């Protein structure tokens, strides 16, 4: 029996609704499979926690999380109560950085039973590899003066190590897929970091002669994701570009509510963290209608990370069967609740045992 110890951080808003739904699915898988079990330990770190304690997580939070096999996170942020940069940097981005989760893997594909807003799209199946430790998400800069003299400076940081490991990860992934990597650049407008990114991409690509490559400026690439998503296999992008591209990925699938993500620690020193692409959606929180598919697909990515590929494959297939059967939340045209969807997924898992 393999037991996986999972730290669970539902976080804010709909994170508190979709995480329990996904845990129910994981428990059902363990129950049906017999050979694995999950021990979930939940932490209340969130904006509520911040308002009580003045911080998003306790000082020893990172030390506590170190002992787990993975972190399973819902969503972070409640901007009417505290600014998003405070909540995100105090929890989500803190964990990504402290645990050297340098790669963020975000798939997008034509999802059975969900209508894409694109008119007659060809089937697409792509993965964005987002550099997750530096780039435009940096703490280097500052603000001075006020009024008309006010200045805000935000520096982007691109290291050879950070760029290389993201790009290399993308090539390794492409080797196992359709063998094509697209680099997201903007070297016509951003004169230092992006030519450097292009240079590193070209250098790494020489190590992979079997993998086809191309580079697109981020503006054109964003448009191509809408007009011809089926032409992409693996896209490698800097931190901010990757974040933006994957919201488009969610949109063309039919809802950001189904988009999953994995923050991967690639040196094996710390746990990886699994969280859907979407945020806390305060506008729909409390109504029980949040789409749990992003969180459930994220659970599938966690199963893959544990090497449970067959279970992960079956789980995604079951979720697609559920959407095909019409049991869907309102964001994808249905009237089901979060738990209706999760319960149907669990029912099918038990049926096909
Ligand atoms: N599911 C995690 C979450 O709350 N994401 C919101 C978000 O905007 N994250 C920013 C990022 O991924 O960099």
């Amino acid at each position: 029996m393999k037991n996986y110890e999972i730290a669970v951080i539902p976080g804010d808003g709909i994170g508190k609704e979709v995480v329990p739904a996904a845990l129910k699915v994981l428990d059902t898988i363990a129950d049906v499979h017999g050979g694995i079990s999950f021990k979930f330990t939940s932490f209340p770190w969130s904006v509520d926690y911040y308002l009580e304690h003045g911080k998003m997580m306790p000082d020893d939070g990172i030390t506590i999380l170190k002992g787990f096999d993975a972190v399973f996170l819902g969503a972070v942020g409640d901007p009417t109560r505290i600014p998003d940069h405070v909540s995100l940097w105090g929890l989500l981005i803190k964990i990504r950085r402290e645990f050297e989760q340098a790669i963020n893997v975000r798939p997008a594909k034509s999802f059975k039973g969900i209508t894409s807003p694109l008119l007659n799209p060809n089937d697409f199946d792509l993965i964005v590899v987002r550099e997750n430790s530096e780039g435009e998400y940096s703490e280097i800069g500052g603000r001075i003066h006020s009024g008309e003299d006010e200045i805000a400076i935000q520096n982007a940081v691109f290291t050879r190590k950070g760029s290389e490991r993201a790009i290399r990860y993308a090539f390794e992934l492409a080797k196992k897929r359709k063998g094509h990597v697209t680099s997201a650049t903007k070297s016509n407008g951003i004169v230092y970091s992006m030519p450097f990114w292009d240079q590193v991409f070209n250098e790494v690509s020489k190590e992979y002669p079997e993998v086809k490559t191309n580079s697109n400026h981020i503006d054109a690439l964003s448009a191509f994701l809408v007009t011809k998503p089926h032409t992409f296999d693996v896209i490698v992008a800097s931190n901010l570009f990757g974040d933006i591209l994957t919201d488009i990925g969610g949109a063309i699938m039919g809802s950001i509510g189904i988009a999953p993500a994995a923050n991967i620690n690639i040196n094996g020193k710390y746990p990886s963290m699994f969280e859907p692409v979407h945020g806390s959606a305060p506008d729909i929180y409390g109504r029980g209608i949040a789409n749990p598919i992003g969180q459930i697909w994220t659970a599938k990515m966690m199963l893959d990370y544990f090497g449970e590929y067959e279970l992960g494959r079956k789980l995604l297939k079951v979720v697609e069967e559920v959407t095909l059967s019409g049991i869907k939340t309102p964001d994808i045209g249905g009237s089901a609740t979060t738990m209706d969807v999760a319960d149907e997924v669990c029912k099918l898992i038990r049926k096909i045992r």
Side-chain angles (χ1 to χ4, degrees), residues 90-155:
L91 186 60
L92 176 67
I93 297 176
K94 189 179 169 77
I95 297 171
R96 286 181 186 163
R97 303 259 154 139
E98 296 271 345
F99 284 168
E100 299 177 24
Q101 294 165 351
I103 307 293
N104 194 319
V105 182
R106 294 180 160 191
K109 73 181 200 81
S110 311
F111 206 91
K112 293 197 179 79
I114 299 182
T115 310
S116 167
L118 305 178
L119 203 60
N120 298 323
N122 291 317
D123 272 356
F124 61 90
D125 181 352
L126 61 93
I127 295 190
V128 175
V129 174
R130 169 186 177 191
E131 199 294 316
N132 208 34
S133 67
E134 52 179 40
E136 306 85 350
Y137 277 46
S138 91
E139 285 174 290
I140 298 177
R143 291 175 65 162
I144 50 169
H145 306 316
S146 60
E148 65 178 19
D149 292 327
E150 195 164 8
I151 301 173
I153 295 175
Q154 176 81 51
N155 290 309

Side-chain angles (χ1 to χ4, degrees), residues 73-76 88 92 96 106 130 137 243 275-279:
L73 184 137
V76 182
L88 253 67
L92 176 67
R96 286 181 186 163
R106 294 180 160 191
R130 169 186 177 191
Y137 277 46
D243 192 36
E275 45 138 347
V277 172
H278 66 71

Side-chain angles (χ1 to χ4, degrees), residues 104-108 126-130 225 235 237 239-253 255-256 259-261 277-278:
N104 194 319
V105 182
R106 294 180 160 191
L126 61 93
I127 295 190
V128 175
V129 174
R130 169 186 177 191
L225 262 190
I235 299 172
N239 210 330
L240 179 63
F241 288 178
D243 192 36
I244 296 169
L245 287 175
T246 47
D247 267 36
I248 301 176
I252 60 174
M253 285 195 285
S255 171
I256 188 146
V277 172
H278 66 71

Side-chain angles (χ1 to χ4, degrees), residues 109-263:
K109 73 181 200 81
S110 311
F111 206 91
K112 293 197 179 79
I114 299 182
T115 310
S116 167
L118 305 178
L119 203 60
N120 298 323
N122 291 317
D123 272 356
F124 61 90
D125 181 352
L126 61 93
I127 295 190
V128 175
V129 174
R130 169 186 177 191
E131 199 294 316
N132 208 34
S133 67
E134 52 179 40
E136 306 85 350
Y137 277 46
S138 91
E139 285 174 290
I140 298 177
R143 291 175 65 162
I144 50 169
H145 306 316
S146 60
E148 65 178 19
D149 292 327
E150 195 164 8
I151 301 173
I153 295 175
Q154 176 81 51
N155 290 309
V157 175
F158 284 76
T159 64
R160 175 167 284 278
K161 193 173 164 188
S163 304
E164 258 186 28
R165 69 187 162 201
I167 291 167
R168 193 162 280 122
Y169 193 94
F171 274 93
E172 288 295 331
L173 202 54
K175 270 193 343 188
K176 295 182 216 134
R177 291 172 47 94
K178 289 173 266 175
H180 192 283
V181 181
T182 301
S183 164
T185 184
K186 190 61 192 172
S187 47
N188 59 351
I190 298 176
V191 296
Y192 295 118
S193 58
M194 282 296 137
F196 171 72
W197 173 271
D198 289 353
Q199 181 191 323
V200 175
F201 182 74
N202 289 333
E203 285 169 12
V204 174
S205 71
K206 292 197 173 70
E207 297 168 29
Y208 298 89
E210 72 278 33
V211 176
K212 292 194 180 68
T213 63
N214 70 321
S215 278
N216 286 147
H217 292 305
I218 187 66
D219 43 345
L221 179 45
S222 305
F224 294 154
L225 262 190
V226 174
T227 55
K228 47 175 185 176
H230 59 282
T231 62
F232 294 100
D233 178 15
V234 178
I235 299 172
V236 63
S238 63
N239 210 330
L240 179 63
F241 288 178
D243 192 36
I244 296 169
L245 287 175
T246 47
D247 267 36
I248 301 176
I252 60 174
M253 285 195 285
S255 171
I256 188 146
I258 70 166
N263 300 276

Side-chain angles (χ1 to χ4, degrees), residues 13-21 280-293 327-331 334-343:
I14 61 164
K16 290 183 273 187
E17 298 174 341
V18 293
V19 165
S280 56
D283 54 328
I284 57 161
Y285 169 56
R287 294 165 58 196
I289 55 162
N291 197 329
I293 293 179
I327 297 168
K328 301 191 273 198
T329 47
D331 57 310
S335 57
T337 65
T338 309
M339 276 303 172
D340 288 340
V341 175
D343 286 343

